[in-house]
Amino acid sequence: MNETVTPADPQPVVMAQNPIGKVVAVTSGKGGVGKTFVSANLAAALARRGLRVLVLDADLGLANLDVVLNLYPKLTLHDVFTGKATLEEAILPAPGGFSVLLAGSGMVEYSRLTPEVRSEFLRVVHSLVPRYDVVLLDTGAGISDVVLFAVSLASEVLMVATPEPTSLTDAYATIKVLAGQQQRDQVRLIVNQTSRAGSGLAITRQLQQVLDRFVVGALGRPFTLAHLGDIPADPEVRQAVMRRQLLVKSLPDSPAATAIAQIAHALKEKLAAKSG
Amino acid sequence: MSSPSAAQPVDLQALNLEDARALLEHDAQNGDREAGESATHYLQRVIDGLCDLSLKDPLTGLGNRRHFHAVLGRSIEAVARTGDSVLLLLLDIDHFKRINDTHGHHAGDQVLRAIAACLARCVRPMDTVARYGGEEFALILPHCRPGFGLVVAERVREAIAALTISVAPLQTLRATVSVGGAYAPEWVRSTAELWIERADQQLYRAKAEGRNRVCLDQPRELAVSAEEKGLLFSQLDLDELPPPGVPAPTAHRVNA
């Protein structure tokens, strides 16, 4: 008997997972590529476009959003997890017109993903979602279980990478895990600290070529790495970071701030297209 | 608008329970009201019996497709919360049509019953066994570590292949199954449809590779090979390097 075996019909697009709409994860393969800088400034740029934005410090254990924003709160996510504070008490206004929920230093004990951490984290994210237009998860770098879990909740994943080979290799490795383990079929790339125009697009294309050969998305569909934008290397960034200021606020016309505003615009359109 | 009072007693005579009772009797459960049994107790028993029936496959006594979907839906939720390893196995009897055509539908039914009973013996009490379709069965195995999945599935396949199924006096048959399996994806709240589809693809593969075998959806290779690394920068390095004589921008070393 010769049974014809046809692979599953590629037409019906089943969502690989049930991520929560409006939740955007900002992640990276390698640390120190400007992930938290991007999260904070992107949040401010989105807020400037009229969106209600909250940044959740999802880098449990190694959080530094507080350092970037120069905020030292009394109550943090740690207190929400342990029941010492309500969500309302721990949410703070950040300088850029958005809200933040900071992890706090007590989160070291949450750097392992136990069922309790998953459960608390889910509860917090689910109660934040109805109150904001966008919830940005500033995750840790790499492929630890906490990072993968946080990313799994997001409907959009923004991968931040710099053009350095180590950063790109780690970004590629992380994307591969997201495609394979989470059965995603799209990640958006932000190339930070580019030294010439168009190099981010060239990098995206190059990564896509390798992804096409070695990585398949959910159920054999092709995996897409979408280029969301570049942030040019800009001496002003260093200055703003050292002064702990938001670049889009202190120097909105600098090349990097302009680039982030464009990325915010693009992201807002993608989110609107998804929900509408 | 008037709503019926909750306290109003139900008149058993006014209810038409004949069909329900017949259904329960058919399934060898006593549908008759026992002497001295209260009306509430009797009704509760009839309702429980009907609920039970609605989840059962009448031929094999296993869970039916509805039961299977309910358990699978709950498993998906549990995995999202706990990160447990849950294995779904889909089993299809090989050349079942041939058994039916050659030996008759009664023989086919006997084969289905024998395999169902064998499956029920093979699994742990916490596992779920269901008849998923005509000649298709499904197993849901919670707490099944990835390293053990293939061993468990092979054991089930071998147990069925070793059966001698009596279909008529002095007539026995042997049957084999093809098995496809997939673990619930960890770290994500997946959908039951996607999970089934992944297991089903493996079942197709097992059929295509010659039947009477197990194919599991293996976790994909996630390591990055030297070949991939080489390809990542084949054109990029030159592209992104600043022209000679131009110092690299200081912002490159910003850590934020």
Side-chain angles (χ1 to χ4, degrees):
Chain A
M1 243 193 268
N2 241 340
E3 207 170 318
T4 25
V5 179
T6 41
D9 200 4
Q11 268 112 42
V13 179
V14 193
M15 272 308 286
Q17 60 257 83
N18 277 338
I20 309 158
K22 306 192 295 184
V23 177
V24 177
V26 180
T27 191
S28 69
K30 183 179 160 298
V33 296
K35 181 170 21 61
T36 302
F37 166 79
V38 169
S39 297
N41 281 280
L42 192 56
L46 286 168
R48 183 168 285 192
R49 286 172 185 276
L51 296 183
R52 292 170 300 158
V53 186
L54 178 131
V55 184
L56 173 61
D57 203 345
D59 189 358
L60 310 180
L62 281 170
N64 52 16
L65 188 59
D66 48 351
V67 180
V68 170
L69 294 172
N70 204 8
L71 288 171
Y72 296 94
K74 282 208 178 75
L75 295 170
T76 63
L77 192 56
H78 173 69
D79 301 298
V80 177
F81 275 22
T82 53
K84 282 184 202 135
T86 63
L87 210 46
E88 289 73 19
E89 289 168 327
I91 294 172
L92 298 174
F98 57 96
S99 303
V100 281
L101 188 46
L102 297 166
S105 51
M107 295 307 277
V108 175
E109 60 197 272
Y110 296 107
S111 53
R112 264 197 58 245
L113 189 67
T114 60
E116 291 72 35
V117 172
R118 293 172 73 89
S119 171
E120 278 302 307
F121 201 86
L122 267 177
R123 184 176 69 81
V124 166
V125 171
H126 275 289
S127 27
L128 289 173
V129 163
R131 310 179 195 188
Y132 295 92
D133 297 318
V134 182
V135 174
L136 278 182
L137 303 180
D138 182 30
T139 78
I143 49 176
S144 77
D145 53 3
V146 180
V147 175
L148 289 174
F149 174 64
V151 170
S152 78
L153 302 177
S155 59
E156 287 282 347
V157 180
L158 312 186
M159 176 72 59
V160 182
T162 60
E164 280 98 27
T166 46
S167 162
L168 292 181
T169 308
D170 292 351
Y172 175 83
T174 305
I175 290 167
K176 195 170 176 179
V177 171
L178 294 181
Q181 196 193 41
Q182 303 200 345
Q183 290 155 20
R184 279 187 183 276
D185 29 32
Q186 194 190 56
V187 165
R188 298 187 193 277
L189 187 68
I190 296 175
V191 184
N192 191 17
Q193 301 168 17
T194 54
S195 51
R196 59 174 66 180
S199 66
L201 198 57
I203 285 169
T204 310
R205 287 199 183 124
Q206 176 91 37
L207 291 183
Q208 180 72 61
Q209 274 181 23
V210 187
L211 288 165
D212 284 343
R213 272 190 62 183
F214 294 94
V215 173
V216 279
L219 291 175
R221 288 192 294 270
F223 180 89
T224 316
L225 184 66
H227 178 241
L228 189 61
D230 291 354
I231 303 171
D234 183 346
E236 311 282 15
V237 172
R238 187 182 162 77
Q239 304 253 344
V241 169
M242 294 311 284
R243 287 191 205 123
R244 301 206 196 155
Q245 287 171 340
L246 283 171
L247 187 75
V248 293
K249 210 168 148 254
S250 58
L251 289 162
D253 297 325
S254 61
T258 312
I260 290 167
Q262 279 167 5
I263 289 171
H265 176 70
L267 180 63
K268 191 184 169 186
E269 305 242 298
K270 310 282 180 214
L271 290 171
K274 215 165 227 188
S275 62
Chain B
M1 270 216 311
S2 68
S3 58
S5 157
Q8 202 172 325
V10 174
D11 179 8
L12 271 192
Q13 306 306 317
L15 289 173
N16 191 350
L17 289 170
E18 302 313 310
D19 285 354
R21 198 150 57 202
L23 262 175
L24 294 178
E25 273 164 9
H26 176 76
D27 199 52
Q29 289 182 30
N30 190 2
D32 281 328
R33 188 171 176 184
E34 284 161 15
E37 190 179 19
S38 78
T40 311
H41 188 258
Y42 170 63
L43 261 186
Q44 184 65 58
R45 206 157 53 81
V46 169
I47 292 166
D48 288 349
L50 291 176
C51 287
D52 202 39
L53 273 187
S54 75
L55 298 173
K56 249 190 201 166
D57 170 52
L59 179 71
T60 61
L62 296 179
N64 60 16
R65 201 184 173 93
R66 183 186 316 185
H67 178 61
F68 165 73
H69 277 288
V71 175
L72 203 67
R74 277 204 301 276
S75 302
I76 286 266
E77 291 298 315
V79 167
R81 285 262 159 175
T82 62
D84 185 21
S85 300
V86 186
L87 177 62
L88 167 66
L89 295 177
L90 295 180
L91 302 86
D92 191 272
I93 305 175
D94 296 326
H95 302 301
F96 186 69
K97 189 173 179 306
R98 201 185 285 170
I99 297 173
N100 266 335
D101 290 350
T102 315
H103 304 281
H105 286 280
H106 176 70
D109 285 353
Q110 291 301 106
V111 170
L112 285 169
R113 281 204 192 101
I115 289 178
C118 177
L119 288 175
R121 279 195 306 272
C122 279
V123 299
R124 305 160 298 177
M126 63 189 181
D127 299 329
T128 300
V129 189
R131 186 172 172 208
Y132 180 57
E135 70 255 38
E136 213 172 330
F137 297 92
L139 300 181
I140 302 170
L141 311 164
H143 308 305
C144 181
R145 293 225 306 272
F148 296 146
L150 194 60
V151 179
V152 172
E154 278 293 345
R155 201 178 64 212
V156 171
R157 184 192 62 77
E158 282 165 14
I160 288 167
L163 287 179
T164 307
I165 304 164
S166 168
V167 293
L170 303 177
Q171 193 185 16
T172 58
L173 286 182
R174 281 180 176 278
T176 58
V177 289
S178 299
V179 185
Y183 276 92
E186 286 177 70
W187 316 125
V188 292
R189 191 168 300 172
S190 185
T191 63
E193 290 72 27
L194 183 77
W195 194 5
I196 294 171
E197 206 173 333
R198 281 170 51 229
D200 215 28
Q201 281 185 356
Q202 296 305 314
L203 181 57
Y204 265 114
R205 217 181 99 209
K207 292 277 181 193
E209 288 179 5
R211 300 183 169 82
N212 189 23
R213 67 194 62 216
V214 174
C215 288
L216 292 191
D217 186 40
Q218 291 302 332
R220 286 182 236 176
E221 180 52 61
L222 299 178
V224 178
S225 67
E227 188 190 2
E228 285 167 276
K229 280 188 188 173
L231 287 168
L232 282 175
F233 318 112
S234 50
Q235 291 145 39
L236 280 183
D237 272 352
L238 295 171
D239 229 348
E240 189 46 42
L241 277 180
V246 179
T250 49
H252 262 246
R253 278 183 284 278
V254 166
N255 255 9

